[in-house]
Amino acid sequence: TLCRLIKANAATATLPVMILSSAGELGFARRFGEAGAAAFLAKPVRLRQLLTAAALAIEGREAGGMITAHRSQ
């Protein structure tokens, strides 16, 4: 995946990767977390969710686990 390529490249490996997807199942979040993503947000995403996730990822708080937000069913 693109996320794995970004994380495998020494020049970009430290950049936090955020995934925004229309696929909101937990399996997708797990797969991107394993690829090194800092955040997984399922569309539709509220602006506040996006800004909070971006701020946490930039601050490096993803080290304690991936930031996720899924659709309410």
Side-chain angles (χ1 to χ4, degrees), residues 16-60:
V17 175
M18 295 180 56
I19 306 296
L20 283 91
S21 175
S22 60
E25 291 80 22
L26 288 173
F28 286 100
R30 187 177 320 111
R31 182 173 47 176
F32 285 112
E34 291 168 357
F40 177 91
L41 305 171
K43 295 178 189 175
V45 177
R46 292 198 162 101
L47 180 59
R48 184 172 300 268
Q49 286 178 313
L50 179 61
L51 295 176
T52 299
L56 291 172
I58 290 168
E59 290 174 11

Side-chain angles (χ1 to χ4, degrees), residues 4 7 12 14 16 46-47 57 59 61 67 73:
R4 286 190 197 279
K7 292 302 184 176
T12 58
T14 61
R46 292 198 162 101
L47 180 59
E59 290 174 11
R61 298 227 177 131
I67 301 158
Q73 306 255 334

